[in-house]
Amino acid sequence: MHQITSRRLNETLASEFLLLGFSDHPHLQSTFFILFLLIYLIAFTGNLLIITIIGADVHLHTPMYFFLGNLATLDICCTTSIIPKMLETLLSETKSISYSSCLTQLFLLSSFLGTELLILAFMAFDRYVAICLPLRYTNIMSMKFCTTAVIAMWFSGLVCSIAHTTLITRLSFYGRIALDHFFCEIPPILKVSSSDTRINDIVIFVADVFYGMFCFLLIILSYSYILSSVLKIRSAANKRKAFSTCSSHLLVVTLFYGGIIYTYVRPALNVTGEKDKVASVVYAVVSPVMNPIIYSLRNQEVKGALAKMISMKICSLKM
């Protein structure tokens, strides 16, 4: 029994995955390379700029921007775990990724995505407290509470990722397996396994309920109360101000959750298609690019802090 298990483990570790996400368009490899390189540079620079602005301006040292800083950090981590390998694959003729590298990418991506779902839900709760319970906001959303919550969310994403990755290491993969995807992700990997994936499917379902449905319901509930409170405000100016603090977050949530639900819920319903690859790129690549753009263009405080930082930099150069 031990010899059989050992042999299967060796076969698994020796195997490779072929990333065939771009194989349908061989004549566009160079175009895809330039496109994803630009996307990565924009995402990295934009999110790093958000983190720098929040760190440099004391007026932005509030719970809302503390969560935004963590969101920007997650976006940098998410794109860095995916895009460099995508660029390498585009330049490579073999399109291969080793088993260990694939699992590492899957582990990192799952951890970052799980944490980001929780962060987005908590940002909705933060807006609920700010608009519906303004007099209690300071007491409820203390920095100690927010820091503890963020640490717990990062830890939760890590634990969930460890569970997924550990279960996948128990599966068998023989030879060089072709993944019809751009990067290593749980649903396409389970599709090509020669083992029984029922336990994996159960864990994915539980994770979907907690990270997907629970977080989504928390967001819906928070914004239901927010909408009810805003409609009671008589001043049109105050209504616009209240909506402006929520609109950026709603745009980010719509973009991110749309891709997540399409990728992870549809496979659970045994519905798959070519659009799965596009949906994955939306939440894992496009969303990290759009987040800093959405928050910077629609947030007066961020734009003001950026203008202040630029003017200070210009003044220091003149001196």
Side-chain angles (χ1 to χ4, degrees):
M1 181 66 181
H2 175 73
Q3 292 178 346
I4 294 174
T5 304
S6 178
R7 186 176 72 251
R8 291 182 66 184
L9 179 60
N10 289 333
E11 289 175 346
T12 299
L13 294 175
S15 66
E16 285 185 328
F17 293 106
L18 302 179
L19 298 174
L20 304 180
F22 300 100
S23 60
D24 294 338
H25 310 282
H27 58 291
L28 295 176
Q29 300 293 295
S30 299
T31 304
F32 282 135
F33 179 85
I34 296 172
L35 176 62
F36 282 106
L37 178 59
L38 288 174
I39 286 175
Y40 179 65
L41 292 176
I42 293 171
F44 188 91
T45 304
N47 284 290
L48 184 61
L49 184 61
I50 290 289
I51 295 170
T52 303
I53 292 172
I54 293 172
D57 196 321
V58 294
H59 297 99
L60 300 183
H61 293 178
T62 62
M64 182 176 75
Y65 292 104
F66 176 64
F67 293 129
L68 179 56
N70 275 272
L71 184 65
T73 302
L74 283 165
D75 286 338
I76 290 176
C77 293
C78 188
T79 51
T80 301
S81 68
I82 296 173
I83 297 183
K85 184 60 185 179
M86 290 174 66
L87 296 176
E88 180 187 332
T89 303
L90 285 167
L91 295 178
S92 171
E93 293 183 2
T94 61
K95 312 298 181 187
S96 64
I97 181 173
S98 68
Y99 176 78
S100 58
S101 296
C102 189
L103 278 189
T104 300
Q105 188 179 76
L106 180 148
F107 169 78
L108 293 173
L109 180 61
S110 298
S111 177
F112 299 144
L113 292 180
T115 304
E116 187 156 347
L117 286 167
L118 294 172
I119 290 283
L120 288 172
F122 217 81
M123 289 176 75
F125 176 73
D126 171 73
R127 293 299 82 206
Y128 157 72
V129 177
I131 294 174
C132 300
L133 305 170
L135 299 179
R136 298 174 58 190
Y137 182 80
T138 304
N139 292 330
I140 296 175
M141 302 301 294
S142 66
M143 286 308 299
K144 181 180 179 181
F145 170 71
C146 293
T147 303
T148 303
V150 165
I151 292 173
M153 286 184 274
W154 279 85
F155 181 74
S156 175
L158 180 64
V159 170
C160 183
S161 182
I162 290 173
H164 286 308
T165 308
T166 302
L167 287 172
I168 286 178
T169 59
R170 299 172 64 251
L171 302 178
S172 297
F173 300 93
Y174 299 106
R176 302 177 73 198
I177 304 297
L179 291 179
D180 189 20
H181 209 46
F182 305 109
F183 49 86
C184 292
E185 198 172 20
I186 296 173
I189 288 179
L190 293 184
K191 281 181 61 178
V192 300
S193 173
S194 56
S195 303
D196 186 354
T197 62
R198 281 179 294 183
I199 296 177
N200 299 75
D201 294 334
I202 292 172
V203 173
I204 289 174
F205 176 77
V206 173
D208 285 347
V209 170
F210 177 70
Y211 288 95
M213 298 305 297
F214 173 75
C215 292
F216 188 70
L217 288 175
L218 179 60
I219 292 172
I220 294 297
L221 186 62
S222 296
Y223 277 106
S224 296
Y225 281 109
I226 288 172
L227 180 62
S228 177
S229 296
V230 170
L231 292 177
K232 295 177 183 178
I233 299 175
R234 295 182 178 180
S235 170
N238 289 336
K239 280 185 178 181
R240 285 195 298 270
K241 183 179 179 180
F243 276 124
S244 67
T245 62
C246 303
S247 58
S248 298
H249 180 254
L250 278 173
L251 285 172
V252 171
V253 166
T254 302
L255 189 64
F256 188 75
Y257 269 83
I260 286 285
I261 291 172
Y262 197 95
T263 302
Y264 283 87
V265 174
R266 290 175 75 252
L269 298 174
N270 294 319
V271 182
T272 57
E274 280 292 312
K275 295 180 181 179
D276 291 343
K277 293 185 289 185
V278 178
S280 296
V281 170
V282 168
Y283 72 76
V285 178
V286 177
S287 182
V289 176
M290 295 302 298
N291 288 355
I293 296 174
I294 292 171
Y295 278 108
S296 60
L297 292 180
R298 300 181 62 86
N299 192 300
Q300 296 299 326
E301 290 179 312
V302 172
K303 288 193 289 187
L306 177 59
K308 181 181 177 181
M309 190 171 69
I310 293 173
S311 63
M312 290 177 64
K313 186 66 175 179
I314 293 174
C315 291
S316 65
L317 290 174
K318 289 181 178 180
M319 294 176 64

